[in-house]
Amino acid sequence: QVQLVQSGGGLVQAGGSLRLSCVVFERAPNLNSMAWFRQAPGKEREFVSMIDWNDDFTYYADSAKGRFTVSRDYARNTIYLQMNSLKHEDTAVYYCAAGRDLLTSSSAYAYWGQGTQVTVSS
């Protein structure tokens, strides 16, 4: 049973940094894509970034480019999202997700973490 368990997040001032973690338990070999999404109140869930579990390919939404970095640790079965220069508009619940294909649509991901709140005060 694939399970994703998130940690990190919290409250930070604008311009600050946070790091999110997502531990993957019982990862299936065909789950190549690990992604981060976020959902702000009253808005749809949106893609933030993704990483290919098998190599270093990464991809970011325009809103995350230059500020966020996604990475993975094989030994710990964990992916990270390092978020720098945070803005008020980054406030949302952040989710990690695992899927087969490297796609930006949330419907492509079958497994999800529990979500973690990130609040950026202006």
Side-chain angles (χ1 to χ4, degrees), residues 5-60:
V5 179
Q6 298 179 223
S7 60
L11 174 64
V12 66
Q13 288 187 332
S17 299
L18 284 173
R19 188 177 81 159
L20 307 182
S21 301
C22 176
V23 181
V24 186
F25 295 94
E26 304 296 334
R27 190 188 78 87
N30 64 340
L31 294 179
N32 301 311
S33 180
M34 299 297 302
W36 290 96
F37 290 80
R38 67 186 183 186
Q39 187 166 18
K43 295 188 177 181
E44 292 187 355
R45 191 168 297 188
E46 65 173 1
F47 169 79
V48 176
S49 69
M50 65 179 163
I51 186 167
D52 187 321
W53 186 263
N54 301 305
D55 61 34
D56 289 331
F57 173 80
T58 58
Y59 185 75
Y60 298 90

Side-chain angles (χ1 to χ4, degrees), residues 5 13 19 35 65 76 80 102:
V5 179
Q13 288 187 332
R19 188 177 81 159
K65 286 179 183 176
R76 292 179 170 82
Y80 303 96
L102 291 163

